[in-house]
Amino acid sequence: MIGRLLGLDYGERRIGLAISDGLGISARELTILPSRGARQDFAAIIEIAMRERAVGIVVGLPVNPNAPAGIVTQADIVRGWIADLRRETDLPVHEVSEYLSSEEARSMARMLKRRAHEPIDDLAACVILQSFLDARSRP
């Protein structure tokens, strides 16, 4: 699939967004949306996807390999959110593990000289999207 992809780092308070270039080689941070509930969040995400001419959406899934079996995890919550998003859009929605993306985003924030208290959700979305692009380009 060639075309721009929209990357999402979903959180209960904020949603980070990133966008890829048209060739699917590199990602860059785009914005951070304050979460206002699923209906408003999905409307804003779809509007941004249309404005950016995205051909698909990539959502980070917070998989924890050490999570005990049988309890509801953050990954389960995000999977439910992704299922709801899929019902709201015709764009393909892909999931990618966001394991350790926060640490990489914090490192990027330091390199970009962001203040310590500034949110990094957009950078986390960039890390998530870039990992998807990189994995897709490997043979």
Side-chain angles (χ1 to χ4, degrees), residues 61-112:
L61 191 62
V63 177
N64 181 351
N66 302 319
I71 65 164
V72 175
T73 65
Q74 187 63 23
D76 296 324
I77 293 167
V78 174
R79 279 188 189 101
W81 187 84
I82 291 169
D84 292 342
L85 175 61
R86 284 184 172 127
R87 284 190 281 278
E88 296 295 320
T89 183
D90 293 330
L91 293 174
V93 179
H94 308 276
E95 300 171 14
V96 63
S97 171
E98 66 171 65
Y99 188 64
L100 301 178
S101 66
S102 293
E103 284 88 29
E104 193 171 337
R106 278 192 277 280
S107 177
M108 287 175 67
R110 284 189 297 275
M111 289 179 0
L112 295 170

Side-chain angles (χ1 to χ4, degrees), residues 19-131:
I19 192 75
S20 75
D21 64 349
L23 296 175
I25 297 170
S26 64
R28 67 172 173 82
E29 67 272 21
L30 188 60
T31 193
I32 299 172
L33 297 176
S35 184
R36 293 191 163 96
R39 177 162 287 164
Q40 287 182 306
D41 294 346
F42 295 150
I45 290 165
I46 292 165
E47 188 265 314
I48 291 169
M50 289 173 39
R51 183 182 70 223
E52 296 291 332
R53 287 175 263 138
V55 298
I57 299 173
V58 177
V59 183
L61 191 62
V63 177
N64 181 351
N66 302 319
I71 65 164
V72 175
T73 65
Q74 187 63 23
D76 296 324
I77 293 167
V78 174
R79 279 188 189 101
W81 187 84
I82 291 169
D84 292 342
L85 175 61
R86 284 184 172 127
R87 284 190 281 278
E88 296 295 320
T89 183
D90 293 330
L91 293 174
V93 179
H94 308 276
E95 300 171 14
V96 63
S97 171
E98 66 171 65
Y99 188 64
L100 301 178
S101 66
S102 293
E103 284 88 29
E104 193 171 337
R106 278 192 277 280
S107 177
M108 287 175 67
R110 284 189 297 275
M111 289 179 0
L112 295 170
K113 299 189 186 320
R114 284 201 185 177
R115 294 183 181 143
H117 67 279
E118 285 185 75
I120 58 168
D121 307 81
D122 56 338
L123 296 176
C126 185
V127 170
I128 291 163
L129 182 54
Q130 190 63 56
S131 71

